[in-house]
């Protein structure tokens, strides 16, 4: 046994360190770790100034702005010293290259420099400040400047006397409760701005002792002044006594150093000071400081003890900028604490509180520890191999203070023992194979005292009803032949409900409703086919709520509630319902009836009214996310404790912070084909996004501006017109869409903060996807006109075809009527005359008439043959035409003894003549050959067909007698007239070159279409 005493000062120091810091460094995307300023703009973005760029933080990532000489509207300098924001959404940046104003609409900067001749006298802006009237003040080496935003001109305020070079070097600007603007200078002066005289008026009675590094205005009046290497002062600003604070070596409660760099008065009017040796908070009642410093190797601590700047955002979260990054933190102590340090306990497997409100901790290797929370006294019990009355083993699995004042201790492998509080000695109970009344197994997993004060011991070898006086046990085990025996010997928990029923949770056997009188059980097991059955056969612990319902914490099956013991109907809550992990090690209820569950992934709070979970983990200040089975306890004051590998954690449920503010949702970026797109208007400010038809892979980025554990923010998004339901994005802060159809959409996104509070409105953005050119309205109108034109043209072509067909039919009818009709009429008349002559026995005259009838019949047959040949589609080619022409010339000329030469150029055979033109052309040729045969008296004829300049050229030559073109036609016929009319019908030109005695040359030129 070892006695440990802890002093009050150590306890106070431990409480002072119980703030949880959440660092942001270059590892998370910060451009540089020296954070010199912080401010929150009207949208809710947090801006962090560094010595290498300006950072906009949205809770999920950083957007860095830097100077780029090649880009208009970039930051004036990467070396940033100060920040402020006005009510119009502008962020003002004091840099080493002038004063810059960030324009949120275009995401560009307007830079004011001394070279602009607008009144700024120096480009090194130490301090920038926006007063309650929205006016911007800039402190430089040469004085403080007031900007007229309408004209862009500055008004300079300096001290009347020149003094040394630092007299007008403005290091800090603040507005006091009375509205006056105060400045602190590099010389150490504190002065206010007199706008009437245009001067800086020094504070009366103030004696400079060092450069002023920071000023803070007290809400009730007065100024806090940080002085470089000379501590902290408070003055009433009227020349009254000055209260000073300094570092005193070895004296707790003083500043850790006199090098104070920044000041902040938070929303609760508490003073915070950032020094080169840590973060300090002044206790107004005791006038002492609590100090937080960087602790190497410890998570959730300040990134560095050198604190440069402090800022409080709208929700009361504080930000500390250090030389190694920024950190956010709640300005009140962490709700989760460790009653005994991890170094002292190691892993904790058992927790209990006795009647004297002393806390007992069963550890893995440090034995049993007793803590008196009033005195801080700690007593440790350890195993001593030489002392049989010592703790049986240092690995403790169970601790139970019973109602008789005894403390029962179950070990991992050395059985059970109880501590006699009077003697401080342990009495041991072990398994003896030779004694059936001994403890059933030395691996003890639970100890329970029921309402009848009977002691039940669960082991890995069965359930025991122990008589503490005799040490004898009634043992209950599984009997494979008895289905009403315990379902398994691995007993993990025993519980008695308000109706006196005993319940036993076993490993692998489910839940048993146990009757101690008969030793029989009703078994409830998990059934994969029955969703209303028990969720897992491994039950770790159970409790009954105020409504008499039994809740069971399982291993791998989450949380189950027994709804009906008769039917065995359960309701289960698992990871899909919000439980962080389905393995539950411990379960406790608070005063509101909420269940607290220790899991492998933090502690979950289950609200039985809303059936919703809220998870707390190391990000919330827990020392660990994974806990140990059986290590849980509720103290009489309502404090809950859970144990795990990093010791025990204690907390008051009412002290656990809740964030009721729904987060502001904003759009932060837009990408095409996974590449950022710079828009003419910031996507945060715009309400509409237009896309082209080829923008078929887009991403929209968004953020929830909640900085309390921002990685716990959750998102839902939906593209109305494309998505039927809201899409759960978890903590992913972008949505990607591909191949959107042309049309109008609305993209909506909602977000929940770290406590699951949703912003029901969220943010929305109209998205218009333009159609390709062939789907535009103008193209559709044009296409409709084109289609109409094509239909009209098709109609005209069809009409033309019908008219052409009609003309053909008309011509055929006319030819048949003219040629056939007149020929048949003449045949009819001649036949009648021949009959008359024959009746009169005038045979000679009858013979002549019959010969005329034969000639007429042959001509009619020739005409019919020409008509049928012309309308036959098989004769459309020029090869068929020339073949008929050659055949006709051969028949006619050879019958008259005329030699002829028929030549056809190869190009002619590639051409085509329409049906009408083909017929007229052939009849014209036929007329010419007939005339040549009848009248020329030629011995030789030449017929040629050529293709010249898109014309079909027919040449017919003979060596006959020729004729006089002007003389009447021979035989009194109409041959020449017919030839000319046929040439005109096909728009051909007919030329005849002849004279008596000189032969005849005829040429016909027929134009051809391509």
């Amino acid at each position: 046994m070892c006695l440990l005493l802890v002093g009050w000062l150590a306890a106070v120091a431990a409480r002072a360190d119980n703030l949880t810091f959440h660092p942001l460094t270059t590892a998370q995307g910060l451009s540089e770790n020296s954070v010199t300023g912080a401010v929150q703009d009207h949208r809710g973005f947090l801006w962090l100034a560094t010595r290498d760029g300006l950072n906009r933080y949205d809770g999920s990532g950083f957007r860095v702005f830097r100077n780029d000489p090649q880009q208009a509207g970039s930051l004036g300098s990467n070396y940033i010293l100060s920040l402020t924001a006005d009510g119009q959404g502008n962020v003002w940046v004091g840099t080493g290259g002038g004063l810059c104003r960030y324009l949120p609409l275009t995401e560009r900067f307007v830079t004011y420099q001394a070279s602009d001749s607008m009144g700024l006298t120096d480009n090194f802006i130490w301090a920038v400040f926006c007063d309650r009237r929205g006016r911007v003040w800039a402190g430089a080496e040469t004085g403080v400047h007031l900007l007229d935003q309408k004209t862009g001109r500055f008004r300079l305020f300096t001290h009347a006397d020149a003094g040394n070079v630092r007299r007008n070097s403005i290091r800090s600007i603040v507005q006091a409760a009375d509205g006056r603007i105060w400045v602190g200078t590099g010389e150490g002066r504190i002065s206010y701005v007199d706008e009437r005289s245009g001067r800086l008026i020094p504070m009366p009675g103030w004696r400079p002792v060092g450069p002023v590094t920071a000023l803070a205005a007290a809400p009730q009046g007065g100024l806090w002044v940080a002085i470089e290497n000379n501590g902290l002062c408070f003055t009433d600003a009227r020349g009254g006594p000055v209260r000073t604070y300094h570092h005193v070596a070895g004296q707790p409660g003083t500043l850790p150093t006199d090098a104070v760099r920044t000041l902040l008065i938070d929303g609760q009017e508490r003073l915070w000071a950032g020094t080169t040796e840590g973060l300090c908070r002044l206790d107004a009642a005791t006038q002492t400081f609590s100090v937080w410093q960087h602790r190497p190797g410890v998570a959730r601590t300040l990134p560095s003890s050198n604190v440069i700047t402090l800022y409080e955002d709208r929700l009361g979260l504080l930000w500390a900028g250090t030389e190694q990054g920024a950190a956010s933190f709640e300005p009140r102590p962490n709700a989760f604490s460790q009653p005994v340090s991890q170094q002292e306990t190691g892993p904790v497997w058992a927790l209990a509180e006795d009647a004297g409100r002393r806390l007992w901790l069963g550890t893995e290797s440090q034995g049993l520890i007793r803590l008196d929370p009033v005195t801080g006294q700690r007593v440790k019990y350890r195993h001593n191999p030489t002392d049989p009355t010592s703790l049986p083993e240092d690995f403790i699995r169970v601790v139970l203070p019973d109602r008789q004042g005894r403390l029962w201790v179950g070990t991992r492998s050395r059985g059970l023992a109880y501590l006699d509080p009077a003697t401080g000695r342990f009495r041991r109970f072990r398994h003896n194979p030779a004694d059936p009344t001994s403890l059933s197994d030395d691996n003890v997993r639970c100890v329970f005292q029921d309402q009848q004060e009977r002691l039940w011991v669960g082991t890995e070898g069965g359930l025991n009803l122990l008589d503490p006086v005799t040490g004898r046990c009634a043992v209950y085990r599984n009997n494979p032949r008895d289905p009403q025996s315990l379902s398994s010997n691995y007993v993990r928990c025993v519980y008695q409900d308000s109706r006196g029923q005993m319940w036993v949770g076993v490993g692998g056997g489910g839940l048993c409703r146990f009757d101690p009188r008969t030793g029989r059980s009703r078994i409830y097991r998990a059934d994969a086919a029955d969703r209303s059955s028990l969720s897992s056969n491994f039950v770790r612990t159970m409790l009954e709520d105020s409504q008499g319902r039994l809740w069971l914490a399982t291993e791998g099956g989450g949380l189950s509630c027994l709804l009906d013991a008769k039917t065995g109907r359960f309701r289960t809550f698992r990871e899909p319902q919000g439980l962080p992990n389905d393995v539950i090690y411990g379960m406790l209820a608070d005063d509101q009836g909420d269940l607290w569950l220790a899991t492998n992934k933090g502690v979950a709070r289950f609200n039985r009214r809303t059936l919703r979970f809220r998870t707390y983990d190391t990000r919330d200040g827990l020392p660990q996310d994974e806990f140990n089975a059986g290590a849980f306890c509720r103290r009489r004051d309502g404090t809950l404790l859970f144990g795990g590998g990093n010791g025990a954690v204690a907390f008051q449920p009412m002290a656990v912070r809740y964030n009721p503010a729904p987060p502001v949702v904003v759009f932060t970026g837009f990408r095409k084909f996974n590449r950022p797109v710079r828009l003419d208007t910031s996507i945060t400010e715009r309400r509409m996004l237009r896309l082209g038809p080829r923008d078929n892979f887009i991403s929209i980025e968004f953020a929830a501006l909640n900085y309390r554990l921002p990685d716990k923010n959750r998102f839902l998004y939906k593209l109305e017109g494309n998505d039927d339901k809201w899409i759960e994005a978890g903590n992913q802060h972008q949505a990607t869409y591909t191949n959107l159809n042309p049309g109008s959409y609305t993209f909506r996104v909602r977000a929940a903060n770290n406590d699951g509070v949703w912003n029901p409105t969220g943010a929305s953005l109209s998205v218009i996807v333009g159609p390709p050119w062939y789907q535009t309205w103008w193209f559709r109108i044009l296409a409709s006109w084109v289609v109409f034109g094509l239909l009209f043209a098709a109609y005209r072509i069809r009409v033309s075809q019908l008219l052409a067909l009609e003309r053909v039919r008309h011509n055929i009818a006319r030819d048949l009527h003219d040629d056939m009709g007149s020929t048949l009429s003449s045949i009819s008349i001649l036949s009648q005359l021949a009959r008359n002559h024959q009746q009169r026995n005038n045979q000679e005259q009858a013979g002549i008439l019959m010969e005329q009838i034969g000639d007429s019949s042959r001509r009619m047959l020739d005409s019919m043959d020409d008509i049928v040949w012309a309308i036959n589609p098989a004769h459309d080619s020029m090869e068929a035409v020339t073949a008929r022409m050659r055949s006709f010339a051969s028949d006619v000329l050879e019958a008259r003894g005329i030699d002829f030469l028929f030549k056809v150029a190869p190009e002619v055979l590639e051409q085509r003549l329409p049906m009408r033109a083909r017929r007229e052309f052939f009849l014209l040729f036929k007329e010419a050959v007939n005339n040549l045969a009848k009248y020329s008296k030629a011995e030789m004829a030449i017929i040629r067909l050529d293709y010249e300049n898109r014309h079909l050229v027919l040449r017919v030559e003979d060596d006959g007698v020729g004729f006089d073109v002007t003389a009447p036609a021979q035989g009194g016929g109409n041959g020449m007239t017919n030839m000319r009319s046929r040439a005109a019908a096909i728009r051909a030109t007919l030329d005849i070159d002849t004279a008596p005695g000189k032969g005849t040359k005829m040429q016909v030129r027929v134009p051809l279409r391509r």
Side-chain angles (χ1 to χ4, degrees):
M1 183 174 69
C2 177
L3 183 66
L4 301 174
L5 298 178
V6 180
W8 281 104
L9 289 177
V12 171
R15 285 195 297 272
D17 284 335
N18 196 25
L19 290 182
T20 302
F21 296 88
H22 300 275
L24 291 173
T25 67
T26 53
Q28 287 79 43
L30 191 66
S31 64
E32 199 262 342
N33 277 332
S34 297
V35 179
T36 57
V39 74
Q40 190 174 23
D41 65 18
H42 76 301
R43 282 283 187 187
F45 289 107
L46 187 80
W47 296 79
L48 298 175
T50 74
R51 292 175 183 145
D52 185 24
L54 179 64
N55 300 258
R56 190 186 74 180
Y57 181 58
D58 58 24
S60 59
F62 289 92
R63 173 147 181 216
V64 179
F65 297 88
R66 284 191 173 95
N67 171 259
D68 183 355
Q70 305 300 320
Q71 182 177 340
S74 70
L75 192 64
S77 169
N78 293 331
Y79 193 88
I80 304 172
L81 299 106
S82 54
L83 288 175
T84 193
D86 62 24
Q88 286 71 47
N90 301 304
V91 177
W92 296 85
V93 189
T95 76
L99 176 66
C100 300
R101 178 177 63 164
Y102 172 76
L103 305 175
L105 191 64
T106 60
E107 296 186 335
R108 295 177 177 270
F109 293 87
V110 175
T111 301
Y112 304 88
Q113 293 184 324
S115 59
D116 296 337
S117 302
M118 299 301 286
L120 189 65
T121 58
D122 190 87
N123 286 335
F124 205 80
I125 309 299
W126 281 102
V128 60
F129 178 78
C130 184
D131 65 20
R132 298 182 195 123
R133 295 165 57 185
R135 300 182 300 174
V136 176
W137 300 80
E141 285 289 328
T142 52
V144 63
H145 303 76
L146 174 62
L147 173 63
D148 185 334
Q149 296 191 43
K150 293 182 179 179
T151 64
R153 300 193 64 85
F154 292 87
R155 182 183 179 190
L156 178 64
F157 298 85
T158 61
H159 292 94
D161 50 339
N164 62 34
V165 293
R166 290 191 173 184
R167 177 158 297 181
N168 290 313
S169 177
I170 309 301
R171 302 302 176 88
S172 181
I173 308 172
V174 74
Q175 188 169 23
D178 61 3
R180 286 194 292 181
I181 302 295
W182 291 87
V183 299
T185 73
E187 186 189 31
R189 290 196 178 198
I190 304 173
S191 306
Y192 70 89
V193 177
D194 186 348
E195 295 190 43
R196 291 185 178 180
S197 66
R199 292 296 183 180
L200 296 177
I201 310 301
M203 177 186 293
W206 177 264
R207 185 172 62 86
V209 292
V212 175
T213 56
L215 294 174
Q220 307 304 322
L223 294 176
W224 290 93
V225 185
I227 305 172
E228 186 175 281
N229 299 321
N230 207 12
L232 179 65
C233 302
F234 178 78
T235 173
D236 62 8
R238 294 189 298 268
V242 176
R243 190 163 67 242
T244 61
Y245 301 83
H246 293 281
H247 168 66
V248 179
Q251 182 175 331
T254 65
L255 288 169
T257 176
D258 282 341
V260 181
R261 305 189 66 177
T262 185
L263 298 173
L264 171 70
I265 297 177
D266 66 17
Q268 301 179 43
E269 299 185 1
R270 295 176 299 186
L271 178 71
W272 297 79
T275 75
T276 58
E277 297 294 334
L279 173 67
C280 308
R281 184 183 65 204
L282 177 65
D283 186 325
T286 63
Q287 291 292 294
T288 58
F289 289 92
S290 298
V291 180
W292 293 266
Q293 295 176 320
H294 171 67
R295 290 180 289 168
V298 178
R300 310 300 179 188
T301 185
L302 274 173
S304 166
S305 294
N306 191 350
V307 180
I308 305 172
T309 188
L310 292 168
Y311 180 73
E312 182 179 22
D313 67 22
R314 292 175 194 156
L315 296 181
L317 198 66
L318 299 190
W319 297 81
T322 76
E323 287 288 357
Q324 294 299 320
S328 63
F329 62 96
E330 296 282 355
R332 56 178 177 171
N334 180 14
F336 303 102
S337 62
Q338 291 189 286
V340 182
S341 69
Q342 170 197 352
Q343 290 77 12
E344 190 175 334
T345 64
V348 173
W349 289 87
L351 290 163
E353 183 186 39
D354 63 18
R357 300 198 173 186
R358 294 174 299 184
L359 183 65
W360 296 86
L361 297 90
T363 72
E364 183 175 298
S365 59
Q366 300 300 313
L368 182 66
I369 299 174
R370 185 186 74 196
L371 170 65
D372 188 327
V374 178
T375 63
Q377 184 183 41
R378 291 199 275 277
V379 178
K380 184 176 289 187
Y381 300 87
R382 301 293 298 272
H383 170 65
N384 185 349
T386 63
D387 183 1
T389 65
S390 70
L391 190 68
E393 183 184 12
D394 283 338
F395 197 144
I396 309 301
R397 297 298 299 261
V398 182
V399 177
L400 174 70
D402 68 12
R403 288 188 283 277
Q404 287 69 40
R406 296 170 295 203
L407 184 80
W408 294 90
V409 181
T411 68
R412 180 185 62 171
S413 60
R414 297 293 180 89
L416 180 70
Y418 79 78
L419 175 66
D420 186 337
T423 62
R425 297 179 180 275
F426 289 89
R427 179 185 174 185
R428 301 179 181 180
F429 302 86
R430 297 288 300 274
H431 170 64
N432 183 356
D435 183 2
T437 65
S438 69
L439 196 67
S440 62
D441 190 84
D442 284 336
N443 297 312
V444 179
R445 300 306 302 263
C446 66
V447 180
F448 179 78
Q449 189 176 33
D450 65 16
Q451 297 165 10
Q452 293 76 33
E453 298 187 352
R454 295 174 294 187
L455 200 69
W456 299 88
V457 182
T459 72
E460 295 183 12
L463 176 64
N464 302 262
L465 178 59
L466 174 67
D467 185 338
V469 178
T470 65
R472 297 170 66 85
C473 295
V475 180
Y476 304 88
R477 290 189 175 93
N478 170 257
N479 183 351
R481 295 184 297 276
D482 182 2
Q484 293 185 323
S485 66
L486 284 178
S487 57
S488 170
N489 290 329
Y490 194 164
V491 179
R492 284 188 163 178
C493 60
V494 179
Y495 187 79
Q496 187 178 33
D497 65 22
S498 59
R499 293 178 291 275
Q501 295 184 114
M502 297 294 296
W503 299 86
V504 180
V506 296
L511 175 67
C512 304
R513 187 172 66 183
F514 177 71
D515 188 345
R517 295 171 298 177
T518 63
R520 295 179 177 274
S521 301
R522 178 181 174 182
I523 313 300
Y524 302 86
R525 285 189 173 92
D527 183 357
D530 185 2
R531 296 182 63 182
S532 65
S533 68
L534 183 65
S535 61
S536 170
N537 286 325
F538 294 83
V539 179
R540 289 190 178 274
T541 185
M542 63 190 87
L543 62 80
E544 185 182 17
D545 65 18
S546 58
Q547 298 177 353
R549 293 176 299 187
L550 190 66
W551 293 84
L552 299 98
T554 73
E555 178 181 338
L559 178 67
S560 279
C561 178
L562 178 59
L563 300 178
D564 190 336
K566 292 182 179 180
T567 62
R569 188 164 58 92
F570 293 83
R571 181 174 183 181
T572 300
F573 302 88
R574 304 183 65 170
E575 291 181 19
Q577 287 76 45
L579 187 66
N581 181 252
D582 282 340
V583 176
I584 303 176
Y585 294 115
M587 176 169 56
L588 295 167
D590 62 19
D591 292 336
Q592 283 71 44
D594 292 347
L595 302 182
W596 293 79
L597 313 170
T599 75
N600 273 327
K601 293 184 178 180
V603 174
R605 181 178 193 167
F606 179 66
N607 187 314
R608 294 186 297 109
R609 296 173 299 279
T610 64
L611 305 180
R612 295 174 66 97
F613 290 92
R614 165 70 174 96
T615 302
Y616 304 89
D617 51 32
T618 55
R619 294 169 292 183
D620 298 273
L622 282 173
Q624 60 208 343
D625 285 341
E626 184 176 340
F627 294 85
N628 289 333
F632 55 95
C633 164
R634 172 174 169 161
R635 304 189 68 174
R636 287 174 175 80
D637 64 356
T639 300
L640 306 184
L641 295 101
F642 293 102
N646 289 339
V649 58
F651 60 93
Q652 275 283 353
M654 293 299 294
V656 176
R657 288 185 288 270
Y658 176 73
N659 183 2
V664 175
V665 186
V666 295
F667 296 107
T668 58
F670 174 63
R671 292 173 176 265
K672 292 181 184 179
F673 302 98
N674 208 29
R675 293 183 179 179
V677 177
R678 184 168 186 144
L679 305 171
D680 55 353
T681 302
S682 167
I683 194 169
T684 306
E685 304 295 330
R686 70 191 300 142
R687 294 293 176 266
M688 181 182 293
L689 192 64
R690 291 187 178 273
L691 304 177
R694 296 185 179 180
D695 299 334
N696 51 18
F697 189 95
I698 64 166
S699 298
I700 300 175
E701 298 174 351
F702 40 80
L705 302 183
N706 163 60
Y707 304 114
R708 283 189 170 100
L709 305 179
D711 52 349
K712 289 190 175 185
N713 294 338
R714 294 294 179 267
F715 298 94
L716 294 171
Y717 66 83
K718 179 180 182 182
L719 184 63
E720 293 180 352
N722 185 77
D723 301 327
D724 295 330
K725 298 179 181 179
W726 288 91
I727 297 173
E728 294 187 9
N731 60 0
Q732 298 299 314
H733 54 92
Q734 75 171 16
T736 299
Y737 289 93
T738 59
N739 298 319
L740 289 176
N741 292 324
S744 297
Y745 304 86
T746 300
F747 181 76
R748 299 187 186 278
V749 59
R750 297 168 55 199
N753 68 12
N754 58 299
D755 277 317
V757 178
W758 287 90
N759 182 329
T761 304
S764 63
L765 181 69
S766 294
V767 179
I768 298 177
V769 180
W773 60 268
Y774 51 83
Q775 292 182 1
T776 56
W777 64 268
W778 55 266
F779 177 77
R780 289 177 178 176
I781 293 175
L782 179 61
S784 66
W785 279 103
V786 170
V787 170
F788 176 77
L790 291 175
L791 291 175
F792 183 74
Y795 168 76
R796 291 297 301 271
I797 292 172
R798 180 58 178 162
V799 169
S800 299
Q801 290 175 341
L802 292 175
L803 290 175
L805 179 60
E806 185 66 23
R807 284 194 297 269
V808 170
R809 294 172 62 187
H810 176 75
N811 290 334
I812 292 174
R814 185 195 62 190
D815 291 343
L816 289 174
H817 179 269
D818 292 347
D819 294 342
M820 303 301 107
S822 61
T823 303
L824 288 174
S825 296
S826 64
I827 290 174
S828 176
I829 294 171
L830 291 174
S831 298
Q832 185 65 38
L833 291 175
R835 186 181 302 114
N836 293 336
H837 282 293
Q838 196 172 24
Q839 290 175 355
R840 295 172 184 172
N841 203 17
N842 190 352
Q843 297 298 328
E844 183 177 356
Q845 292 297 326
I848 294 171
L849 292 174
M850 292 301 292
E851 186 177 350
Q852 290 179 357
I853 290 172
D855 291 340
S856 296
S857 297
R858 283 191 293 275
R859 286 198 305 272
M860 183 178 68
L861 289 174
D862 288 343
S863 295
M864 284 293 295
D865 183 59
D866 290 341
I867 292 173
V868 172
W869 175 84
I871 63 175
N872 190 345
H875 302 148
D876 285 351
S877 66
M878 287 300 299
E879 187 175 359
V881 175
T882 58
R884 186 172 178 82
M885 292 171 67
R886 185 190 302 272
S887 176
F888 178 79
S890 177
D891 291 343
V892 174
L893 297 179
E894 287 180 358
R896 296 297 180 98
I898 301 174
D899 292 333
F900 73 95
L901 181 64
F902 194 95
K903 293 184 177 180
V904 180
E907 296 86 354
V908 171
L909 300 179
E910 299 176 1
Q911 312 305 315
R912 294 179 69 86
L913 281 174
M915 179 188 69
R916 175 68 177 172
R918 184 172 69 249
R919 182 170 180 270
E920 298 293 344
F921 178 74
F922 179 74
L923 292 178
L924 189 151
F925 166 76
K926 188 177 179 181
E927 190 75 32
V929 172
N930 278 328
N931 289 337
L932 186 153
K934 289 180 180 181
Y935 308 114
S936 68
K937 300 180 182 180
E939 296 180 359
M940 180 68 182
I942 299 175
I943 302 171
R944 296 178 56 186
L945 280 173
D946 295 303
Y947 179 72
E948 298 175 357
N949 298 326
R950 301 183 188 178
H951 284 73
L952 177 64
V953 182
L954 171 64
R955 294 183 176 92
V956 180
E957 301 179 17
D958 64 60
D959 57 357
V961 296
F963 63 93
D964 185 0
V965 178
T966 61
Q970 298 182 41
N974 295 317
M976 292 296 298
T977 302
N978 289 339
M979 290 173 62
R980 295 190 185 280
S981 63
R982 294 187 188 282
I986 58 175
R987 295 184 297 172
T989 58
L990 174 63
D991 294 321
I992 298 176
D993 183 13
T994 183
K998 291 186 178 180
T1000 302
K1001 294 181 181 179
M1002 182 193 74
Q1003 176 178 283
V1004 180
R1005 296 180 64 87
V1006 183
L1008 297 179
R1009 294 180 183 177
R1010 278 195 129 179

